[in-house]
Amino acid sequence: MQRYFIYLAYDGTAYHGWQIQPNGESVQECLMKALATLLRCDVEVVGAGRTDAGVHASLMVAHFDSAAPLDAAFMVDKLNRLLPPDISVYRLRAVKSDAHARFDATTRMYKYYVTTAKIPFDRWYRCRLFQTPDFERMNEAAQTLYDYTDFTSFSKLHTDVKTNNCKIMHAVWTQQDEVTWVFTIKADRFLRNMVRAIVGTLLEVGRGKLTVEGFRRVIEQQDRCQAGTSVPGNALFLVDVSYPEEIFIS
């Protein structure tokens, strides 16, 4: 068997998230069906993580196994012909047999977009703010994330993970244009709903409802009920997943 990493992007608007769901269409299911059609057998696909319903990815990575070596360029072309318009495959790379798209990932990066203006073309991919928050104060609060590893306060309740520890390496708000700001966050791993909960709590800081020290206390209390409301998923994008180069064959 030869294992491959597959690099893809998707607009998550029409999907119930990455992972296969019993009651809705998922990106994983669409990809598995397309691969099964081409390889003429059932194919198990394992993603680098789980994006929630409505969340997008400009770069997701997954792995699958093939009984025979594949022509990567041919497979990319054929997959893109089979997949719906809102899912696109960029690349296939052969990897070592024990390489794992989820467990071998060293970093992941997300971006969350907010806008202070009503722009019809942005409504699917931006979170509309009806007042301009204090982004400087939000950045001050975001810097405190580097001081902690336990992010229980920003995790969805009753998940099956063994630890809520993560190492955040980058977290900052930057202005993209006159009305658009983007929050970029990079970590070794993320908990379910973590980015949306962090953004929602930072917005509480930006609106003056929470101080920077109050933001620290939210993290330290390790209680999801103390954090802010999660922001909508439509403005969240997974944008990068990194791996050690030694796992790749080509």
Side-chain angles (χ1 to χ4, degrees), residues 81-206:
R81 292 171 185 264
L82 284 173
L83 288 165
D86 50 11
I87 303 176
S88 175
V89 173
Y90 295 142
R91 184 183 189 188
L92 258 66
R93 291 190 72 181
V95 295
K96 294 178 179 178
S97 60
D98 60 348
H100 198 285
R102 179 182 174 190
F103 298 134
D104 283 335
T106 54
T107 64
R108 298 162 174 84
M109 182 184 290
Y110 283 88
K111 290 182 180 289
Y112 194 88
Y113 294 85
V114 300
T115 180
T116 57
K118 182 180 180 181
I119 302 174
F121 311 108
D122 283 349
R123 69 190 188 279
W124 300 118
Y125 308 107
R126 302 289 185 269
C127 176
R128 170 83 187 281
L129 304 180
F130 293 91
Q131 65 183 70
T132 302
D134 186 337
F135 285 102
E136 184 176 345
R137 185 62 59 83
M138 289 158 64
N139 265 333
E140 187 181 344
Q143 299 310 295
T144 69
L145 292 166
Y146 304 146
D147 298 334
Y148 300 92
T149 55
D150 189 323
F151 293 102
T152 300
S153 293
F154 301 128
S155 174
K156 185 174 182 178
L157 298 174
H158 311 303
T159 62
D160 57 358
V161 298
K162 296 179 180 178
T163 175
N164 287 334
N165 287 356
C166 310
K167 181 181 180 182
I168 294 178
M169 305 153 190
H170 182 81
V172 66
W173 288 93
T174 54
Q175 189 167 9
Q176 183 169 283
D177 56 42
E178 189 175 344
V179 297
T180 306
W181 288 74
V182 57
F183 179 63
T184 305
I185 184 166
K186 180 179 180 180
D188 60 345
R189 63 190 290 265
F190 287 92
L191 308 173
R192 290 193 65 185
N193 203 52
M194 179 174 166
V195 179
R196 292 164 59 195
I198 288 175
V199 172
T201 311
L202 287 173
L203 285 171
E204 295 287 285
V205 176

Side-chain angles (χ1 to χ4, degrees), residues 223-234:
D223 180 356
R224 178 65 186 92
C225 296
Q226 301 302 315
T229 303
S230 294
V231 287
N234 66 294

Side-chain angles (χ1 to χ4, degrees), residues 6-10 57-60 76 80 88-92:
I6 184 167
Y7 292 74
L8 67 149
Y10 52 84
S58 57
L59 191 147
M60 166 64 94
V76 168
N80 282 325
S88 175
V89 173
Y90 295 142
R91 184 183 189 188
L92 258 66

